[in-house]
Amino acid sequence: MKVGIVGAGMVGSSAAYALTMQGIVNEIVLVDMNAALAIAQAEDISHAVPFVSATLVRAGGYRDLEGAGVVILAAGVSQKPGETRLELLTRNAEVFRQVVGQVLAVAPDAILLIASNPVDIMTYVATRLSGLPAQRVIGSGTILDSARFRSLLGRHLEISPQSVHAYVLGEHGDSEVLAWSNARAGSVPLLSFAEQVGKPLSETVRAEIDDGVRNAAYKIINGKGSTYYGIGAGLARIVMAIARDQRDVLSVSIVTSEVAGVRDVALSVPRVVGAKGVLQDLFPHLNESESADLLKSALLLKERADSVPL
């Protein structure tokens, strides 16, 4: 499969690097307004290819996206001093208006994979601008938050995070919902597993893990300015599910007809992802508190999305 990446900054280039390291696709095209940046990133990544795969990595323009099966959108503008969130969203919507049109003009059959933040709102924007079915416009959503949740649980339980099955739902952001009530380690309910291995999940431990998941981005940004390796790997994971038609269950964001009574809202729940995009939405059983929090997250996202002029 050929993959296009629009936006060759740290997120876009990290996704390209992760895809290359795993040999998931046979060609990657980096597109950026700063052509020199796209060329430099492509050259740098291509020099790693002889060690690990046979992926062709190159820079190009929109016309070079022809035939791409997936196009990752990692483009956008940064918030200016004194600029409101709505003003930033409006400017990013305008960027997407231009980008989405140019992508679909040459790759009308591509699945759009949205990485630009705020990712749920930008997924909603891209869906409306493109006119594509919702299952073909996928936001990275809480795939990274869920990975952080599993990582911290695995660290506490002293097991591989790949043996932890736990999801973060709703917004990729402050209103996200950690679904503790249905988390499992192996096939064992999480709380039972924790007791059996002598690593109980006390309220203190749960609070620490919640903070570690919810505020991970802030801590990383404070230390090095931005986050990119984790989301780069997450984007590569989504592309793998599509390219190989793996039908994996991943927590990604699409415009959903109804969540917790809120209609037409982009947020994350577990979904089956394969060659045609999202094949099925899955709604886990939640306790009363988690259900209420998911409703709050959905209402918040709906309000923000409806405020963006399209």
Side-chain angles (χ1 to χ4, degrees):
M1 177 184 280
K2 178 179 182 178
V3 172
I5 301 177
V6 180
M10 293 308 299
V11 170
S13 62
S14 293
Y17 184 71
L19 286 166
T20 302
M21 289 298 100
Q22 297 177 63
I24 295 170
V25 298
N26 63 343
E27 183 178 359
I28 299 169
V29 179
L30 288 164
V31 178
D32 198 281
M33 286 183 62
N34 182 346
L37 174 63
I39 292 169
Q41 299 282 33
E43 284 292 296
D44 196 11
I45 295 169
S46 68
H47 297 161
V49 167
F51 299 112
V52 290
S53 71
T55 304
L56 171 63
V57 185
R58 64 188 180 94
Y62 284 99
R63 64 183 180 277
D64 297 297
L65 299 178
E66 183 177 1
V70 176
V71 176
I72 298 172
L73 302 187
V77 293
S78 300
Q79 194 163 10
K80 297 178 179 178
E83 185 175 37
T84 67
R85 186 183 186 89
L86 178 57
E87 288 169 339
L88 174 63
L89 282 170
T90 301
R91 289 201 299 130
N92 266 325
E94 186 54 39
V95 170
F96 264 42
R97 188 184 305 279
Q98 299 172 33
V99 168
V100 169
Q102 292 183 85
V103 168
L104 293 181
V106 295
D109 298 323
I111 290 172
L112 301 182
L113 180 50
I114 313 303
S116 304
N117 276 320
V119 69
D120 300 293
I121 308 302
M122 299 315 298
T123 299
Y124 178 90
V125 168
T127 304
R128 292 293 177 260
L129 291 176
S130 68
L132 294 174
Q135 63 265 28
R136 285 180 53 200
V137 185
I138 305 173
S140 57
T142 59
I143 193 169
L144 178 55
D145 310 271
S146 295
R148 290 165 174 163
F149 193 17
R150 293 170 181 173
S151 176
L152 292 173
L153 284 170
R155 189 179 303 174
H156 173 73
L157 298 172
E158 297 183 354
I159 61 172
S160 166
Q162 294 183 348
S163 293
V164 179
H165 309 288
Y167 293 96
V168 177
L169 314 177
E171 179 192 15
H172 171 57
D174 295 340
S175 73
E176 64 191 25
V177 182
L178 278 64
W180 288 92
S181 64
N182 55 56
R184 307 180 83 82
S187 62
V188 181
L190 185 65
L191 295 180
S192 175
F193 186 98
E195 292 293 338
Q196 289 184 51
V197 299
K199 297 287 184 179
L201 286 160
S202 65
E203 287 300 318
T204 299
V205 171
R206 287 172 58 134
E208 289 174 350
I209 291 174
D210 184 282
D211 178 73
V213 174
R214 199 175 300 278
N215 295 310
Y218 298 117
K219 294 175 183 176
I220 294 169
I221 290 168
N222 286 338
K224 67 172 191 174
S226 60
T227 67
Y228 36 87
Y229 292 133
I231 190 56
L235 292 165
R237 182 69 184 83
I238 298 168
V239 172
M240 180 189 290
I242 297 169
R244 298 179 180 174
D245 195 21
Q246 292 186 169
R247 301 181 178 230
D248 293 314
V249 177
L250 304 172
S251 56
V252 294
S253 180
I254 67 170
V255 175
T256 311
S257 58
E258 183 177 341
V259 178
V262 181
R263 299 189 61 80
D264 295 323
V265 60
L267 50 61
S268 290
V269 296
R271 307 181 196 270
V272 181
V273 180
K276 294 184 179 180
V278 170
L279 307 177
Q280 182 70 50
D281 300 333
L282 304 171
F283 295 93
H285 294 291
L286 303 175
N287 63 31
E288 185 176 341
S289 175
E290 292 164 348
S291 295
D293 288 342
L294 183 59
L295 172 58
K296 291 177 184 176
S297 188
L299 287 170
L300 175 66
L301 288 167
K302 179 65 173 175
E303 179 183 2
R304 288 178 180 169
D306 286 347
S307 70
V308 181
L310 296 175

